[in-house]
Amino acid sequence: MRAIIVEDEPLSVEELIVSLREVAPDIEVVATAGTIAEAVRVIETTPHDLLFMDIRLGDGKSFDIFKRTKVSAPVIFITAYDSYALKAFENQGIDYLLKPFGEEDLRRAIAKLGLLTGIARPSTVAPSPAPSYQERFLVHMGARMRSVTVSEVAYFLSEGKYLHLITHDNKDYIVDKSLSEMSEKLSPDQFFRINRRLIISFESIQEMIRYSGSRIKVILNPPLPDGEEALVSADRAADFRKWLNR
């Protein structure tokens, strides 16, 4: 099955692609678009069976796409806002996922596609095999190499195109993966992604402070470089509290 992603945040596109690989590996992302004009062009020129659409794009709302071209494929809308559900279902929508969503939410949305079309999709509705998580990470220090065990990791910090692995004794190594790829390899019992740049281990938390709005400030040991603050984003704060209160 061929899918198009309409989303103007590259990190969100990357996260969705990673999730689809786990949830529905038979869905191939054949194109992406970040604007209304680009989406219209891609939809008209790229054969596809399914659309994933964010609602608020940089140049308007994705509902404008339906005014400019014919959309015949089913659409799974993905958005941070809950006020567009009715309009979404009026525009080819088969489901409406609120960010941040989990793999189980995505699996249920894709399963609806099979129910609507009468096509059995065992890869999306069958239970996922028990996940296996990475236990050690090969890192490079010039010509030398070292294997860092997961118990040594305090946190992962994304800076530009680099992902830093910081150990509890404040050693800094570069890992050849993205933060989204790394989040799939870590046990959710031990690690939590608190924002777009940072995955922390439970053992690295020294103190927590209520911050503005619903955010939480986490004091890490070792601390972040250059006095940077570790803030749990507002959209992850509720899940972070659940993670702590198990």
Side-chain angles (χ1 to χ4, degrees), residues 22 128-137 150 181-188 190:
E22 294 296 324
S128 295
S132 59
Y133 300 110
Q134 195 156 337
E135 297 180 357
R136 56 187 62 85
F137 306 90
V150 71
E181 290 173 327
M182 186 59 69
S183 66
E184 296 294 320
K185 296 180 177 296
L186 298 169
S187 167
Q190 297 174 265

PDB file of all heavy atoms in Angstrom, residues 22 128-137 150 181-188 190:
ATOM      1  N   GLU A  22       7.212   0.072  12.056  1.00  0.00           N
ATOM      2  CA  GLU A  22       6.925  -0.872  13.133  1.00  0.00           C
ATOM      3  C   GLU A  22       5.498  -1.395  13.053  1.00  0.00           C
ATOM      4  O   GLU A  22       5.241  -2.586  13.245  1.00  0.00           O
ATOM      5  CB  GLU A  22       7.144  -0.190  14.496  1.00  0.00           C
ATOM      6  CG  GLU A  22       8.577   0.199  14.782  1.00  0.00           C
ATOM      7  CD  GLU A  22       9.495  -0.999  14.885  1.00  0.00           C
ATOM      8  OE1 GLU A  22       9.036  -2.037  15.411  1.00  0.00           O
ATOM      9  OE2 GLU A  22      10.653  -0.912  14.433  1.00  0.00           O
ATOM     10  N   SER A 128       1.624  -7.136  17.940  1.00  0.00           N
ATOM     11  CA  SER A 128       3.040  -7.001  17.623  1.00  0.00           C
ATOM     12  C   SER A 128       3.853  -7.965  18.472  1.00  0.00           C
ATOM     13  O   SER A 128       3.497  -8.246  19.622  1.00  0.00           O
ATOM     14  CB  SER A 128       3.503  -5.576  17.903  1.00  0.00           C
ATOM     15  OG  SER A 128       2.864  -4.673  17.055  1.00  0.00           O
ATOM     16  N   PRO A 129       4.931  -8.478  17.923  1.00  0.00           N
ATOM     17  CA  PRO A 129       5.791  -9.332  18.748  1.00  0.00           C
ATOM     18  C   PRO A 129       6.394  -8.527  19.881  1.00  0.00           C
ATOM     19  O   PRO A 129       6.520  -7.307  19.794  1.00  0.00           O
ATOM     20  CB  PRO A 129       6.868  -9.796  17.746  1.00  0.00           C
ATOM     21  CG  PRO A 129       6.852  -8.771  16.663  1.00  0.00           C
ATOM     22  CD  PRO A 129       5.439  -8.309  16.554  1.00  0.00           C
ATOM     23  N   ALA A 130       6.744  -9.211  20.942  1.00  0.00           N
ATOM     24  CA  ALA A 130       7.352  -8.530  22.082  1.00  0.00           C
ATOM     25  C   ALA A 130       8.617  -7.812  21.628  1.00  0.00           C
ATOM     26  O   ALA A 130       9.487  -8.414  20.984  1.00  0.00           O
ATOM     27  CB  ALA A 130       7.673  -9.536  23.175  1.00  0.00           C
ATOM     28  N   PRO A 131       8.743  -6.526  21.924  1.00  0.00           N
ATOM     29  CA  PRO A 131       9.900  -5.766  21.435  1.00  0.00           C
ATOM     30  C   PRO A 131      11.173  -6.185  22.144  1.00  0.00           C
ATOM     31  O   PRO A 131      11.163  -6.604  23.304  1.00  0.00           O
ATOM     32  CB  PRO A 131       9.528  -4.324  21.773  1.00  0.00           C
ATOM     33  CG  PRO A 131       8.600  -4.436  22.937  1.00  0.00           C
ATOM     34  CD  PRO A 131       7.831  -5.700  22.713  1.00  0.00           C
ATOM     35  N   SER A 132      12.285  -6.085  21.432  1.00  0.00           N
ATOM     36  CA  SER A 132      13.588  -6.285  22.046  1.00  0.00           C
ATOM     37  C   SER A 132      14.323  -4.954  21.996  1.00  0.00           C
ATOM     38  O   SER A 132      14.269  -4.249  20.993  1.00  0.00           O
ATOM     39  CB  SER A 132      14.389  -7.364  21.304  1.00  0.00           C
ATOM     40  OG  SER A 132      14.575  -6.998  19.952  1.00  0.00           O
ATOM     41  N   TYR A 133      14.984  -4.617  23.073  1.00  0.00           N
ATOM     42  CA  TYR A 133      15.616  -3.305  23.187  1.00  0.00           C
ATOM     43  C   TYR A 133      17.130  -3.447  23.197  1.00  0.00           C
ATOM     44  O   TYR A 133      17.683  -4.455  23.640  1.00  0.00           O
ATOM     45  CB  TYR A 133      15.129  -2.603  24.454  1.00  0.00           C
ATOM     46  CG  TYR A 133      13.633  -2.396  24.472  1.00  0.00           C
ATOM     47  CD1 TYR A 133      12.824  -3.117  25.340  1.00  0.00           C
ATOM     48  CD2 TYR A 133      13.034  -1.499  23.590  1.00  0.00           C
ATOM     49  CE1 TYR A 133      11.445  -2.940  25.343  1.00  0.00           C
ATOM     50  CE2 TYR A 133      11.661  -1.317  23.586  1.00  0.00           C
ATOM     51  CZ  TYR A 133      10.867  -2.039  24.466  1.00  0.00           C
ATOM     52  OH  TYR A 133       9.509  -1.863  24.450  1.00  0.00           O
ATOM     53  N   GLN A 134      17.787  -2.397  22.715  1.00  0.00           N
ATOM     54  CA  GLN A 134      19.238  -2.424  22.600  1.00  0.00           C
ATOM     55  C   GLN A 134      19.879  -2.405  23.988  1.00  0.00           C
ATOM     56  O   GLN A 134      19.425  -1.692  24.884  1.00  0.00           O
ATOM     57  CB  GLN A 134      19.717  -1.214  21.777  1.00  0.00           C
ATOM     58  CG  GLN A 134      21.140  -1.347  21.298  1.00  0.00           C
ATOM     59  CD  GLN A 134      21.404  -0.503  20.065  1.00  0.00           C
ATOM     60  OE1 GLN A 134      20.487  -0.158  19.330  1.00  0.00           O
ATOM     61  NE2 GLN A 134      22.657  -0.159  19.837  1.00  0.00           N
ATOM     62  N   GLU A 135      20.931  -3.202  24.150  1.00  0.00           N
ATOM     63  CA  GLU A 135      21.592  -3.337  25.448  1.00  0.00           C
ATOM     64  C   GLU A 135      22.929  -2.628  25.499  1.00  0.00           C
ATOM     65  O   GLU A 135      23.435  -2.334  26.580  1.00  0.00           O
ATOM     66  CB  GLU A 135      21.779  -4.808  25.791  1.00  0.00           C
ATOM     67  CG  GLU A 135      20.451  -5.556  25.946  1.00  0.00           C
ATOM     68  CD  GLU A 135      20.657  -7.011  26.288  1.00  0.00           C
ATOM     69  OE1 GLU A 135      21.832  -7.452  26.348  1.00  0.00           O
ATOM     70  OE2 GLU A 135      19.662  -7.715  26.507  1.00  0.00           O
ATOM     71  N   ARG A 136      23.533  -2.348  24.340  1.00  0.00           N
ATOM     72  CA  ARG A 136      24.813  -1.643  24.320  1.00  0.00           C
ATOM     73  C   ARG A 136      24.947  -0.893  22.996  1.00  0.00           C
ATOM     74  O   ARG A 136      24.274  -1.228  22.010  1.00  0.00           O
ATOM     75  CB  ARG A 136      25.993  -2.595  24.529  1.00  0.00           C
ATOM     76  CG  ARG A 136      26.065  -3.736  23.557  1.00  0.00           C
ATOM     77  CD  ARG A 136      27.163  -4.711  23.943  1.00  0.00           C
ATOM     78  NE  ARG A 136      26.921  -5.306  25.235  1.00  0.00           N
ATOM     79  CZ  ARG A 136      26.159  -6.386  25.426  1.00  0.00           C
ATOM     80  NH1 ARG A 136      25.559  -6.956  24.380  1.00  0.00           N
ATOM     81  NH2 ARG A 136      25.959  -6.883  26.610  1.00  0.00           N
ATOM     82  N   PHE A 137      25.810   0.113  22.990  1.00  0.00           N
ATOM     83  CA  PHE A 137      25.950   0.997  21.833  1.00  0.00           C
ATOM     84  C   PHE A 137      27.426   1.120  21.478  1.00  0.00           C
ATOM     85  O   PHE A 137      28.256   1.441  22.340  1.00  0.00           O
ATOM     86  CB  PHE A 137      25.384   2.391  22.145  1.00  0.00           C
ATOM     87  CG  PHE A 137      23.965   2.354  22.634  1.00  0.00           C
ATOM     88  CD1 PHE A 137      23.694   2.235  23.994  1.00  0.00           C
ATOM     89  CD2 PHE A 137      22.907   2.407  21.753  1.00  0.00           C
ATOM     90  CE1 PHE A 137      22.394   2.181  24.459  1.00  0.00           C
ATOM     91  CE2 PHE A 137      21.598   2.356  22.210  1.00  0.00           C
ATOM     92  CZ  PHE A 137      21.348   2.234  23.564  1.00  0.00           C
ATOM     93  N   VAL A 150      23.759   0.020  28.183  1.00  0.00           N
ATOM     94  CA  VAL A 150      22.603   0.889  28.371  1.00  0.00           C
ATOM     95  C   VAL A 150      22.532   1.415  29.802  1.00  0.00           C
ATOM     96  O   VAL A 150      22.046   2.525  30.039  1.00  0.00           O
ATOM     97  CB  VAL A 150      21.309   0.140  27.972  1.00  0.00           C
ATOM     98  CG1 VAL A 150      20.974  -0.931  28.984  1.00  0.00           C
ATOM     99  CG2 VAL A 150      20.143   1.104  27.804  1.00  0.00           C
ATOM    100  N   GLU A 181      15.016   7.335  15.843  1.00  0.00           N
ATOM    101  CA  GLU A 181      15.481   5.947  15.718  1.00  0.00           C
ATOM    102  C   GLU A 181      15.909   5.402  17.073  1.00  0.00           C
ATOM    103  O   GLU A 181      15.614   4.257  17.417  1.00  0.00           O
ATOM    104  CB  GLU A 181      16.645   5.878  14.731  1.00  0.00           C
ATOM    105  CG  GLU A 181      16.250   6.114  13.284  1.00  0.00           C
ATOM    106  CD  GLU A 181      17.447   6.202  12.366  1.00  0.00           C
ATOM    107  OE1 GLU A 181      18.508   6.698  12.794  1.00  0.00           O
ATOM    108  OE2 GLU A 181      17.335   5.773  11.206  1.00  0.00           O
ATOM    109  N   MET A 182      16.579   6.239  17.851  1.00  0.00           N
ATOM    110  CA  MET A 182      17.050   5.790  19.151  1.00  0.00           C
ATOM    111  C   MET A 182      15.888   5.508  20.098  1.00  0.00           C
ATOM    112  O   MET A 182      15.923   4.550  20.880  1.00  0.00           O
ATOM    113  CB  MET A 182      17.984   6.844  19.760  1.00  0.00           C
ATOM    114  CG  MET A 182      18.639   6.399  21.049  1.00  0.00           C
ATOM    115  SD  MET A 182      19.627   4.895  20.865  1.00  0.00           S
ATOM    116  CE  MET A 182      20.969   5.521  19.861  1.00  0.00           C
ATOM    117  N   SER A 183      14.839   6.331  20.041  1.00  0.00           N
ATOM    118  CA  SER A 183      13.704   6.145  20.947  1.00  0.00           C
ATOM    119  C   SER A 183      13.035   4.795  20.731  1.00  0.00           C
ATOM    120  O   SER A 183      12.448   4.226  21.659  1.00  0.00           O
ATOM    121  CB  SER A 183      12.684   7.275  20.774  1.00  0.00           C
ATOM    122  OG  SER A 183      12.078   7.230  19.498  1.00  0.00           O
ATOM    123  N   GLU A 184      13.119   4.248  19.505  1.00  0.00           N
ATOM    124  CA  GLU A 184      12.536   2.943  19.218  1.00  0.00           C
ATOM    125  C   GLU A 184      13.363   1.800  19.793  1.00  0.00           C
ATOM    126  O   GLU A 184      12.874   0.685  19.933  1.00  0.00           O
ATOM    127  CB  GLU A 184      12.403   2.756  17.704  1.00  0.00           C
ATOM    128  CG  GLU A 184      11.464   3.726  17.024  1.00  0.00           C
ATOM    129  CD  GLU A 184      10.025   3.529  17.465  1.00  0.00           C
ATOM    130  OE1 GLU A 184       9.613   2.368  17.624  1.00  0.00           O
ATOM    131  OE2 GLU A 184       9.325   4.534  17.652  1.00  0.00           O
ATOM    132  N   LYS A 185      14.627   2.070  20.127  1.00  0.00           N
ATOM    133  CA  LYS A 185      15.539   1.018  20.571  1.00  0.00           C
ATOM    134  C   LYS A 185      15.702   0.966  22.085  1.00  0.00           C
ATOM    135  O   LYS A 185      16.406   0.106  22.603  1.00  0.00           O
ATOM    136  CB  LYS A 185      16.917   1.220  19.913  1.00  0.00           C
ATOM    137  CG  LYS A 185      16.885   1.088  18.399  1.00  0.00           C
ATOM    138  CD  LYS A 185      18.248   1.294  17.794  1.00  0.00           C
ATOM    139  CE  LYS A 185      18.213   1.086  16.285  1.00  0.00           C
ATOM    140  NZ  LYS A 185      17.872  -0.286  15.923  1.00  0.00           N
ATOM    141  N   LEU A 186      15.060   1.905  22.788  1.00  0.00           N
ATOM    142  CA  LEU A 186      15.240   2.002  24.230  1.00  0.00           C
ATOM    143  C   LEU A 186      14.018   1.500  24.975  1.00  0.00           C
ATOM    144  O   LEU A 186      12.884   1.736  24.549  1.00  0.00           O
ATOM    145  CB  LEU A 186      15.515   3.457  24.620  1.00  0.00           C
ATOM    146  CG  LEU A 186      16.782   4.078  24.027  1.00  0.00           C
ATOM    147  CD1 LEU A 186      16.789   5.579  24.264  1.00  0.00           C
ATOM    148  CD2 LEU A 186      18.029   3.436  24.623  1.00  0.00           C
ATOM    149  N   SER A 187      14.228   0.868  26.098  1.00  0.00           N
ATOM    150  CA  SER A 187      13.125   0.374  26.916  1.00  0.00           C
ATOM    151  C   SER A 187      12.349   1.548  27.510  1.00  0.00           C
ATOM    152  O   SER A 187      12.949   2.423  28.154  1.00  0.00           O
ATOM    153  CB  SER A 187      13.652  -0.505  28.043  1.00  0.00           C
ATOM    154  OG  SER A 187      12.629  -0.746  28.995  1.00  0.00           O
ATOM    155  N   PRO A 188      11.040   1.593  27.312  1.00  0.00           N
ATOM    156  CA  PRO A 188      10.247   2.676  27.897  1.00  0.00           C
ATOM    157  C   PRO A 188      10.191   2.613  29.415  1.00  0.00           C
ATOM    158  O   PRO A 188       9.769   3.578  30.059  1.00  0.00           O
ATOM    159  CB  PRO A 188       8.860   2.471  27.269  1.00  0.00           C
ATOM    160  CG  PRO A 188       8.815   1.032  26.888  1.00  0.00           C
ATOM    161  CD  PRO A 188      10.217   0.669  26.513  1.00  0.00           C
ATOM    162  N   GLN A 190      12.887   2.396  31.183  1.00  0.00           N
ATOM    163  CA  GLN A 190      14.105   3.066  31.626  1.00  0.00           C
ATOM    164  C   GLN A 190      14.274   4.473  31.069  1.00  0.00           C
ATOM    165  O   GLN A 190      14.916   5.309  31.697  1.00  0.00           O
ATOM    166  CB  GLN A 190      15.329   2.239  31.228  1.00  0.00           C
ATOM    167  CG  GLN A 190      15.407   0.873  31.879  1.00  0.00           C
ATOM    168  CD  GLN A 190      16.559   0.070  31.325  1.00  0.00           C
ATOM    169  OE1 GLN A 190      16.409  -0.728  30.408  1.00  0.00           O
ATOM    170  NE2 GLN A 190      17.741   0.296  31.849  1.00  0.00           N
TER     171      GLN A 190
END
